[in-house]
Amino acid sequence: MKRLVLAAVLALALTTAAFAGVQDFGSFTVDVPAGWTAEQDGETVGIVKNDNTASMSITVDSTEGATIKELADAFVEALNGRNLKAEGGSYTFEMTNANGVDSKAFLSGEDGKYALIVVTGLENAQGEISAIINSLQEK
């Protein structure tokens, strides 16, 4: 019986660790809260709340010699963005995603790399999204 209980506790611990906690995506780590799922596709990590009420994507990549302003202009054009605003050395803009839902994008960079974060459903999970963004650590 002790083995069965120990096996069940171990399985629960491993399941919890697989779905919540700090995850490593190569160039950065981020804390993915319980109830959210993260998947990497190339340089972009999609993090989705399991009930699909909120999501975000984080892309970290080389600027390939472009300035952050040039990248901001290119992303606004490619993503049909609007209301591009400079905030210090960073930029924000709004866009409508492929599902017709409004999203907010944040772009910053330094040392030849940029980070683009696109958030959808902020109003549905503001605390969780803020915690995810605040946990982002470049490696």
Side-chain angles (χ1 to χ4, degrees), residues 90-102:
S90 300
Y91 294 86
T92 62
F93 62 94
E94 299 166 8
M95 57 179 272
T96 303
N97 71 14
N99 296 321
V101 180
D102 288 336

Side-chain angles (χ1 to χ4, degrees), residues 19-20 30-37 47-56 58 117 119-136:
F19 294 106
V30 67
D31 190 4
V32 179
W36 290 70
T37 303
I47 305 173
V48 180
K49 191 166 182 174
N50 292 349
D51 66 3
N52 291 317
T53 59
S55 66
M56 62 190 305
I58 303 169
I117 300 172
V119 176
T120 304
L122 179 62
E123 65 281 359
N124 299 321
Q126 187 168 0
E128 292 164 299
I129 290 171
S130 293
I132 293 168
I133 291 171
N134 289 336
S135 75
L136 185 61

Side-chain angles (χ1 to χ4, degrees), residues 16-81:
T16 301
F19 294 106
V22 176
Q23 293 187 23
D24 188 329
F25 295 103
S27 59
F28 65 92
T29 62
V30 67
D31 190 4
V32 179
W36 290 70
T37 303
E39 292 186 19
Q40 187 167 12
D41 182 10
E43 302 302 322
T44 300
V45 173
I47 305 173
V48 180
K49 191 166 182 174
N50 292 349
D51 66 3
N52 291 317
T53 59
S55 66
M56 62 190 305
S57 67
I58 303 169
T59 304
V60 177
D61 204 356
S62 169
T63 63
E64 297 184 4
T67 66
I68 298 301
K69 171 64 169 130
E70 291 168 338
L71 289 172
D73 290 337
F75 281 124
V76 166
E77 183 176 337
L79 299 172
N80 295 317

